[in-house]
Amino acid sequence: MSRLQVVSGKGGTGKTTVAAALALALAREGRRTLLVEVEGRQGIAQLFGAEALPYEERKIAVASGGGEVFALAIDAERALLDYLQMFYKLGSAGRALKKLGAIDFATTIAPGLRDVLLTGKACEAVRRKDKAGRYVYDHVIMDAPPTGRITRFLNVNDEVAGLARFGPIHNQAQAVMKVLKSPETAVHLVTLLEEMPVQETADGIAELEEAGLPVGRVVVNMVRPHHLDEDTLRAAAGERRADVAKALSRAGLGGARRGGVAERLVDPLLAQAAEHASRVELERAQRTVLEQLDVATYELPLLGAGMDLAGLYELASELRKQAGEE
């Protein structure tokens, strides 16, 4: 299994939730996992009910399988200071630049530089080893930017390596791309069974493949249960008003006479059934599109009670189950 797992998806598809559930699923296998956030939204802290994450690796969960989940919110300014110290030994000079606002200026006017720093910090965690020569983390999970810019975000070091032909910047960019374009990495895309997210997922896969970046799995999130069987779905689209009214009457909801309780319930019930039938057909059509992408797919259920730590563990269990069935 890839050591760096990047999770992207269209806004609103729940990519941060999926990234957190994936980290927990790996931890329940006994793995030591680092969950990385790069967008500065503190979404990971909110999911785990923790305080805002500082720029340091902090343990946020211990799984029943003996594994641990650490989290890191990467700050581009602090990452640049680390970079300046690592390659140029600036130390206090770098801190002086920060006080003068030069660091903030550099990361703001050069968004490509910001992406280099963010991806570089994550890849450093992937490569890091302890004194015994073992990897510090078994897996690094990155909650990455949305699908629309994931390829540019991950591929920015290729551009930098081409611009800086030699020196530490060139070497660092090449080292990062060596990780990102290797079997050590998998880029997962999160979607919903809706037309726009599925289309963006298809476009994202095409862009990743063209850039030579490794596509992992498509994760279909918030899948709704189908409450009606096939016969009922077909009936929902037809005129079954009288039959529904009689069924409500048999259920004790009043007589089927005109204006009765059962009569007043017929229209809203038929409308809900028709809406559900329409949703099922939409989801079937989008599943067909996903199948044509020829990418392995996981499906995660919609949790009606909302998302909390218990919900994360439920999704983690579902991911483990589906991974075990492969």
Side-chain angles (χ1 to χ4, degrees):
M1 184 178 292
S2 302
R3 298 193 58 251
L4 173 60
Q5 304 202 33
V6 180
V7 180
S8 180
K10 188 180 186 303
T13 58
K15 68 179 179 64
T16 300
T17 299
V18 171
L22 178 57
L24 278 174
L26 291 168
R28 296 182 77 172
E29 297 288 343
R31 316 286 177 82
R32 197 168 193 259
T33 303
L34 176 64
L35 181 56
V36 173
E37 182 177 74
V38 298
E39 294 186 280
R41 296 185 295 106
Q42 291 292 338
I44 292 172
Q46 294 174 27
L47 280 172
F48 284 89
E51 296 180 356
L53 296 173
Y55 182 65
E56 64 181 41
E57 292 156 24
R58 173 174 292 183
K59 187 189 297 185
I60 57 172
V62 178
S64 56
E68 300 169 321
V69 177
F70 289 74
L72 169 67
I74 302 179
D75 177 86
E77 290 185 35
R78 295 285 299 275
L80 181 53
L81 288 173
D82 287 349
Y83 180 89
L84 293 174
Q85 172 60 22
M86 184 182 304
F87 292 107
Y88 298 102
K89 309 299 181 186
L90 287 186
S92 59
R95 291 190 291 274
L97 288 172
K98 178 176 174 62
K99 289 182 180 179
L100 292 172
I103 301 297
D104 180 54
F105 178 74
T107 55
T108 301
I109 67 167
L113 172 60
R114 185 177 186 278
D115 291 348
V116 167
L117 296 168
L118 297 174
T119 54
K121 185 66 177 177
C123 288
E124 181 275 325
V126 172
R127 299 191 303 262
R128 193 189 313 157
K129 295 183 178 180
D130 60 21
K131 294 180 179 178
R134 296 170 300 196
Y135 286 115
V136 173
Y137 295 106
D138 298 305
H139 299 281
V140 175
I141 312 299
M142 180 193 292
D143 176 21
T147 315
R149 71 182 193 92
I150 186 61
T151 301
R152 179 69 185 272
F153 173 77
L154 295 176
N155 212 37
V156 69
N157 286 275
D158 239 0
E159 299 176 15
V160 170
L163 293 172
R165 298 290 182 177
F166 56 87
I169 295 178
H170 174 83
N171 295 337
Q172 167 71 0
Q174 280 199 323
V176 170
M177 291 314 302
K178 185 178 180 180
V179 173
L180 292 178
K181 291 191 173 183
S182 76
E184 284 190 291
T185 299
V187 184
H188 308 302
L189 299 182
V190 182
T191 187
L192 306 178
L193 288 174
E194 297 173 1
E195 187 173 356
M196 287 185 65
V198 168
Q199 183 58 55
E200 194 162 309
T201 298
D203 294 342
I205 289 173
E207 291 174 2
L208 289 166
E209 291 178 340
E210 184 178 356
L213 292 161
V215 177
R217 290 168 173 77
V218 171
V219 181
V220 183
N221 196 23
M222 293 186 268
V223 176
R224 294 170 172 82
H226 292 168
H227 299 293
L228 305 178
D229 58 30
E230 290 296 321
D231 290 340
T232 308
L233 284 172
R234 286 192 292 270
E239 291 295 330
R240 302 291 294 276
R241 181 185 185 85
D243 292 340
V244 173
K246 290 177 181 178
L248 290 172
S249 178
R250 288 195 298 270
L253 294 177
R257 66 184 184 280
R258 189 76 177 171
V261 175
E263 174 72 16
R264 293 196 301 272
L265 288 174
V266 170
D267 285 339
L269 281 174
L270 283 177
Q272 286 190 18
E275 182 181 348
H276 182 72
S278 176
R279 176 78 197 187
V280 170
E281 287 303 313
L282 169 66
E283 291 179 354
R284 283 176 176 164
Q286 298 311 310
R287 274 199 178 91
T288 299
V289 175
L290 291 176
E291 288 170 1
Q292 293 171 349
L293 298 177
D294 196 27
V295 175
T297 302
Y298 291 156
E299 290 198 4
L300 296 177
L302 173 67
L303 302 181
M307 185 50 58
D308 54 15
L309 194 54
L312 276 180
Y313 275 101
E314 184 176 338
L315 295 182
S317 296
E318 187 61 32
L319 284 173
R320 289 180 66 203
K321 175 185 174 182
Q322 294 185 43
E325 292 174 349
E326 293 182 342

